Amino acid sequence: MNGSGYVRSAPALAAAIRCTDQRRLPVSTARLLHAEQLPPVYRIETGDQEQEVASAVQTVAIVADKLRRLTAAYGEWDAFDAPAFFDLYAEQADLLVHIVERVSTVHVVFYADLLLPSFRRAEETWATEFFPGYQAAHPLQSRTDRRTSYGDHYFEIDAPKLIAYWRRLVDVIHGARRALTGDIGFLAASGGSEERSRWQSAWTRPPAVGLDEQLQPDLQAIPTLTLSINFPLPAHRQPGRLRRLRRMWRRGDWRRRKG
């Protein structure tokens, strides 16, 4: 697996499902988020698929606009305060936002999938029901006359439940992405390719034994609402900038004297 151990996007969840036989008992990222405490602007409606899609479109568009404004606002902080800027509790910001300062640029990722009720339901079901059910039923037997009661529970309840939740999640994300095709802010910040590439390693080895084919999607076919941007690190924050400026000044002064 990759990253911090959090499962915060559809590609990350698909990777986690594929590796169910290679992981320790997970802690549900959805539970850590405490979605009921999110500010209203981040609360996506829980209802039928159309309601969730419509609500997700509004929320993701707002987040994309926040990221656009972040490029100008970032330098106003001596040390950027993500919870303050995004109006989140520190624990929520840690889950939803990932910021990396490089030598001269800033890379920001916002895990919008985690705001989706359908994502949180699927991720929590995988972590708290499917994963322990799979482990209890292992080794899996496709023949019913050889199954234990744990195997019956896995094939009849755990797997079908996660499949249904995964389908709903994919449909919601596809619906939201279609509705956002005309949103320039979303298109500029869409981080799907980057997020999928982060989890490529999970597809270089076979999936968990006995995993239903519906839980083995092709990586490139997995949609996500993950957003990411890159922008220049403010000059006064760049490490070694003063040293570089002095070196440049000395070179210029030397050339002037030589001339």
PDB file of all heavy atoms in Angstrom, residues 160-177:
ATOM      1  N   PRO A 160     -21.467  -9.309  -1.419  1.00  0.00           N
ATOM      2  CA  PRO A 160     -22.532  -8.610  -2.155  1.00  0.00           C
ATOM      3  C   PRO A 160     -22.792  -7.193  -1.639  1.00  0.00           C
ATOM      4  O   PRO A 160     -23.084  -6.286  -2.425  1.00  0.00           O
ATOM      5  CB  PRO A 160     -23.756  -9.509  -1.934  1.00  0.00           C
ATOM      6  CG  PRO A 160     -23.189 -10.862  -1.677  1.00  0.00           C
ATOM      7  CD  PRO A 160     -21.931 -10.612  -0.897  1.00  0.00           C
ATOM      8  N   LYS A 161     -22.669  -7.009  -0.339  1.00  0.00           N
ATOM      9  CA  LYS A 161     -22.908  -5.684   0.241  1.00  0.00           C
ATOM     10  C   LYS A 161     -21.864  -4.687  -0.240  1.00  0.00           C
ATOM     11  O   LYS A 161     -22.202  -3.568  -0.671  1.00  0.00           O
ATOM     12  CB  LYS A 161     -22.877  -5.782   1.767  1.00  0.00           C
ATOM     13  CG  LYS A 161     -23.269  -4.498   2.492  1.00  0.00           C
ATOM     14  CD  LYS A 161     -23.320  -4.759   3.994  1.00  0.00           C
ATOM     15  CE  LYS A 161     -23.802  -3.535   4.758  1.00  0.00           C
ATOM     16  NZ  LYS A 161     -23.877  -3.800   6.221  1.00  0.00           N
ATOM     17  N   LEU A 162     -20.596  -5.071  -0.204  1.00  0.00           N
ATOM     18  CA  LEU A 162     -19.548  -4.159  -0.649  1.00  0.00           C
ATOM     19  C   LEU A 162     -19.644  -3.909  -2.152  1.00  0.00           C
ATOM     20  O   LEU A 162     -19.411  -2.782  -2.610  1.00  0.00           O
ATOM     21  CB  LEU A 162     -18.171  -4.714  -0.296  1.00  0.00           C
ATOM     22  CG  LEU A 162     -16.986  -3.793  -0.627  1.00  0.00           C
ATOM     23  CD1 LEU A 162     -17.124  -2.447   0.087  1.00  0.00           C
ATOM     24  CD2 LEU A 162     -15.658  -4.452  -0.266  1.00  0.00           C
ATOM     25  N   ILE A 163     -20.003  -4.919  -2.919  1.00  0.00           N
ATOM     26  CA  ILE A 163     -20.166  -4.739  -4.363  1.00  0.00           C
ATOM     27  C   ILE A 163     -21.236  -3.693  -4.647  1.00  0.00           C
ATOM     28  O   ILE A 163     -21.057  -2.802  -5.486  1.00  0.00           O
ATOM     29  CB  ILE A 163     -20.525  -6.081  -5.039  1.00  0.00           C
ATOM     30  CG1 ILE A 163     -19.312  -7.014  -5.037  1.00  0.00           C
ATOM     31  CG2 ILE A 163     -21.009  -5.852  -6.473  1.00  0.00           C
ATOM     32  CD1 ILE A 163     -19.637  -8.437  -5.448  1.00  0.00           C
ATOM     33  N   ALA A 164     -22.356  -3.780  -3.946  1.00  0.00           N
ATOM     34  CA  ALA A 164     -23.444  -2.817  -4.148  1.00  0.00           C
ATOM     35  C   ALA A 164     -22.999  -1.406  -3.777  1.00  0.00           C
ATOM     36  O   ALA A 164     -23.292  -0.436  -4.494  1.00  0.00           O
ATOM     37  CB  ALA A 164     -24.659  -3.226  -3.321  1.00  0.00           C
ATOM     38  N   TYR A 165     -22.284  -1.277  -2.676  1.00  0.00           N
ATOM     39  CA  TYR A 165     -21.820   0.044  -2.245  1.00  0.00           C
ATOM     40  C   TYR A 165     -20.763   0.591  -3.195  1.00  0.00           C
ATOM     41  O   TYR A 165     -20.718   1.800  -3.451  1.00  0.00           O
ATOM     42  CB  TYR A 165     -21.265  -0.033  -0.826  1.00  0.00           C
ATOM     43  CG  TYR A 165     -22.311  -0.228   0.247  1.00  0.00           C
ATOM     44  CD1 TYR A 165     -21.947  -0.483   1.569  1.00  0.00           C
ATOM     45  CD2 TYR A 165     -23.675  -0.166  -0.057  1.00  0.00           C
ATOM     46  CE1 TYR A 165     -22.905  -0.659   2.560  1.00  0.00           C
ATOM     47  CE2 TYR A 165     -24.636  -0.343   0.930  1.00  0.00           C
ATOM     48  CZ  TYR A 165     -24.244  -0.600   2.236  1.00  0.00           C
ATOM     49  OH  TYR A 165     -25.192  -0.770   3.204  1.00  0.00           O
ATOM     50  N   TRP A 166     -19.906  -0.277  -3.716  1.00  0.00           N
ATOM     51  CA  TRP A 166     -18.888   0.165  -4.673  1.00  0.00           C
ATOM     52  C   TRP A 166     -19.549   0.660  -5.962  1.00  0.00           C
ATOM     53  O   TRP A 166     -19.164   1.694  -6.509  1.00  0.00           O
ATOM     54  CB  TRP A 166     -17.909  -0.968  -4.971  1.00  0.00           C
ATOM     55  CG  TRP A 166     -16.942  -0.628  -6.068  1.00  0.00           C
ATOM     56  CD1 TRP A 166     -16.991  -1.031  -7.372  1.00  0.00           C
ATOM     57  CD2 TRP A 166     -15.802   0.232  -5.971  1.00  0.00           C
ATOM     58  NE1 TRP A 166     -15.954  -0.488  -8.090  1.00  0.00           N
ATOM     59  CE2 TRP A 166     -15.205   0.293  -7.254  1.00  0.00           C
ATOM     60  CE3 TRP A 166     -15.227   0.947  -4.923  1.00  0.00           C
ATOM     61  CZ2 TRP A 166     -14.063   1.043  -7.513  1.00  0.00           C
ATOM     62  CZ3 TRP A 166     -14.085   1.704  -5.179  1.00  0.00           C
ATOM     63  CH2 TRP A 166     -13.517   1.747  -6.458  1.00  0.00           C
ATOM     64  N   ARG A 167     -20.535  -0.059  -6.443  1.00  0.00           N
ATOM     65  CA  ARG A 167     -21.243   0.360  -7.658  1.00  0.00           C
ATOM     66  C   ARG A 167     -21.876   1.733  -7.460  1.00  0.00           C
ATOM     67  O   ARG A 167     -21.808   2.598  -8.339  1.00  0.00           O
ATOM     68  CB  ARG A 167     -22.325  -0.662  -8.007  1.00  0.00           C
ATOM     69  CG  ARG A 167     -21.819  -1.960  -8.605  1.00  0.00           C
ATOM     70  CD  ARG A 167     -23.000  -2.889  -8.820  1.00  0.00           C
ATOM     71  NE  ARG A 167     -22.641  -4.120  -9.506  1.00  0.00           N
ATOM     72  CZ  ARG A 167     -23.469  -5.141  -9.676  1.00  0.00           C
ATOM     73  NH1 ARG A 167     -24.715  -5.070  -9.203  1.00  0.00           N
ATOM     74  NH2 ARG A 167     -23.074  -6.221 -10.309  1.00  0.00           N
ATOM     75  N   ARG A 168     -22.516   1.916  -6.321  1.00  0.00           N
ATOM     76  CA  ARG A 168     -23.154   3.206  -6.041  1.00  0.00           C
ATOM     77  C   ARG A 168     -22.109   4.317  -6.020  1.00  0.00           C
ATOM     78  O   ARG A 168     -22.317   5.396  -6.598  1.00  0.00           O
ATOM     79  CB  ARG A 168     -23.887   3.128  -4.704  1.00  0.00           C
ATOM     80  CG  ARG A 168     -24.289   4.464  -4.074  1.00  0.00           C
ATOM     81  CD  ARG A 168     -25.340   5.226  -4.875  1.00  0.00           C
ATOM     82  NE  ARG A 168     -25.642   6.497  -4.234  1.00  0.00           N
ATOM     83  CZ  ARG A 168     -26.713   6.713  -3.455  1.00  0.00           C
ATOM     84  NH1 ARG A 168     -27.575   5.737  -3.226  1.00  0.00           N
ATOM     85  NH2 ARG A 168     -26.917   7.895  -2.912  1.00  0.00           N
ATOM     86  N   LEU A 169     -20.980   4.073  -5.396  1.00  0.00           N
ATOM     87  CA  LEU A 169     -19.924   5.078  -5.326  1.00  0.00           C
ATOM     88  C   LEU A 169     -19.439   5.457  -6.720  1.00  0.00           C
ATOM     89  O   LEU A 169     -19.320   6.647  -7.047  1.00  0.00           O
ATOM     90  CB  LEU A 169     -18.758   4.544  -4.493  1.00  0.00           C
ATOM     91  CG  LEU A 169     -17.455   5.356  -4.543  1.00  0.00           C
ATOM     92  CD1 LEU A 169     -17.676   6.760  -4.005  1.00  0.00           C
ATOM     93  CD2 LEU A 169     -16.355   4.633  -3.776  1.00  0.00           C
ATOM     94  N   VAL A 170     -19.155   4.475  -7.542  1.00  0.00           N
ATOM     95  CA  VAL A 170     -18.665   4.742  -8.897  1.00  0.00           C
ATOM     96  C   VAL A 170     -19.701   5.526  -9.697  1.00  0.00           C
ATOM     97  O   VAL A 170     -19.364   6.475 -10.420  1.00  0.00           O
ATOM     98  CB  VAL A 170     -18.305   3.423  -9.603  1.00  0.00           C
ATOM     99  CG1 VAL A 170     -18.027   3.658 -11.086  1.00  0.00           C
ATOM    100  CG2 VAL A 170     -17.085   2.789  -8.942  1.00  0.00           C
ATOM    101  N   ASP A 171     -20.964   5.157  -9.565  1.00  0.00           N
ATOM    102  CA  ASP A 171     -22.019   5.868 -10.296  1.00  0.00           C
ATOM    103  C   ASP A 171     -22.123   7.322  -9.844  1.00  0.00           C
ATOM    104  O   ASP A 171     -22.324   8.227 -10.670  1.00  0.00           O
ATOM    105  CB  ASP A 171     -23.361   5.163 -10.088  1.00  0.00           C
ATOM    106  CG  ASP A 171     -23.452   3.838 -10.833  1.00  0.00           C
ATOM    107  OD1 ASP A 171     -22.615   3.603 -11.730  1.00  0.00           O
ATOM    108  OD2 ASP A 171     -24.351   3.033 -10.506  1.00  0.00           O
ATOM    109  N   VAL A 172     -21.989   7.561  -8.548  1.00  0.00           N
ATOM    110  CA  VAL A 172     -22.062   8.928  -8.026  1.00  0.00           C
ATOM    111  C   VAL A 172     -20.901   9.766  -8.558  1.00  0.00           C
ATOM    112  O   VAL A 172     -21.088  10.905  -9.013  1.00  0.00           O
ATOM    113  CB  VAL A 172     -22.063   8.925  -6.482  1.00  0.00           C
ATOM    114  CG1 VAL A 172     -21.798  10.332  -5.935  1.00  0.00           C
ATOM    115  CG2 VAL A 172     -23.399   8.412  -5.958  1.00  0.00           C
ATOM    116  N   ILE A 173     -19.704   9.210  -8.520  1.00  0.00           N
ATOM    117  CA  ILE A 173     -18.540   9.971  -8.993  1.00  0.00           C
ATOM    118  C   ILE A 173     -18.650  10.247 -10.487  1.00  0.00           C
ATOM    119  O   ILE A 173     -18.382  11.368 -10.945  1.00  0.00           O
ATOM    120  CB  ILE A 173     -17.228   9.231  -8.669  1.00  0.00           C
ATOM    121  CG1 ILE A 173     -17.043   9.123  -7.156  1.00  0.00           C
ATOM    122  CG2 ILE A 173     -16.039   9.968  -9.283  1.00  0.00           C
ATOM    123  CD1 ILE A 173     -15.805   8.345  -6.737  1.00  0.00           C
ATOM    124  N   HIS A 174     -19.050   9.245 -11.259  1.00  0.00           N
ATOM    125  CA  HIS A 174     -19.226   9.466 -12.697  1.00  0.00           C
ATOM    126  C   HIS A 174     -20.262  10.564 -12.943  1.00  0.00           C
ATOM    127  O   HIS A 174     -20.063  11.443 -13.797  1.00  0.00           O
ATOM    128  CB  HIS A 174     -19.667   8.173 -13.382  1.00  0.00           C
ATOM    129  CG  HIS A 174     -18.540   7.266 -13.772  1.00  0.00           C
ATOM    130  ND1 HIS A 174     -17.427   7.711 -14.458  1.00  0.00           N
ATOM    131  CD2 HIS A 174     -18.362   5.927 -13.583  1.00  0.00           C
ATOM    132  CE1 HIS A 174     -16.609   6.692 -14.677  1.00  0.00           C
ATOM    133  NE2 HIS A 174     -17.138   5.610 -14.147  1.00  0.00           N
ATOM    134  N   GLY A 175     -21.363  10.513 -12.209  1.00  0.00           N
ATOM    135  CA  GLY A 175     -22.406  11.518 -12.383  1.00  0.00           C
ATOM    136  C   GLY A 175     -21.920  12.914 -12.052  1.00  0.00           C
ATOM    137  O   GLY A 175     -22.214  13.879 -12.771  1.00  0.00           O
ATOM    138  N   ALA A 176     -21.169  13.033 -10.965  1.00  0.00           N
ATOM    139  CA  ALA A 176     -20.647  14.343 -10.570  1.00  0.00           C
ATOM    140  C   ALA A 176     -19.631  14.860 -11.587  1.00  0.00           C
ATOM    141  O   ALA A 176     -19.636  16.044 -11.944  1.00  0.00           O
ATOM    142  CB  ALA A 176     -20.012  14.251  -9.184  1.00  0.00           C
ATOM    143  N   ARG A 177     -18.782  13.984 -12.067  1.00  0.00           N
ATOM    144  CA  ARG A 177     -17.777  14.407 -13.047  1.00  0.00           C
ATOM    145  C   ARG A 177     -18.440  14.868 -14.346  1.00  0.00           C
ATOM    146  O   ARG A 177     -17.995  15.845 -14.955  1.00  0.00           O
ATOM    147  CB  ARG A 177     -16.790  13.270 -13.323  1.00  0.00           C
ATOM    148  CG  ARG A 177     -15.818  12.999 -12.169  1.00  0.00           C
ATOM    149  CD  ARG A 177     -14.754  11.988 -12.589  1.00  0.00           C
ATOM    150  NE  ARG A 177     -13.961  12.518 -13.694  1.00  0.00           N
ATOM    151  CZ  ARG A 177     -12.885  13.275 -13.544  1.00  0.00           C
ATOM    152  NH1 ARG A 177     -12.475  13.622 -12.333  1.00  0.00           N
ATOM    153  NH2 ARG A 177     -12.220  13.700 -14.595  1.00  0.00           N
TER     154      ARG A 177
END
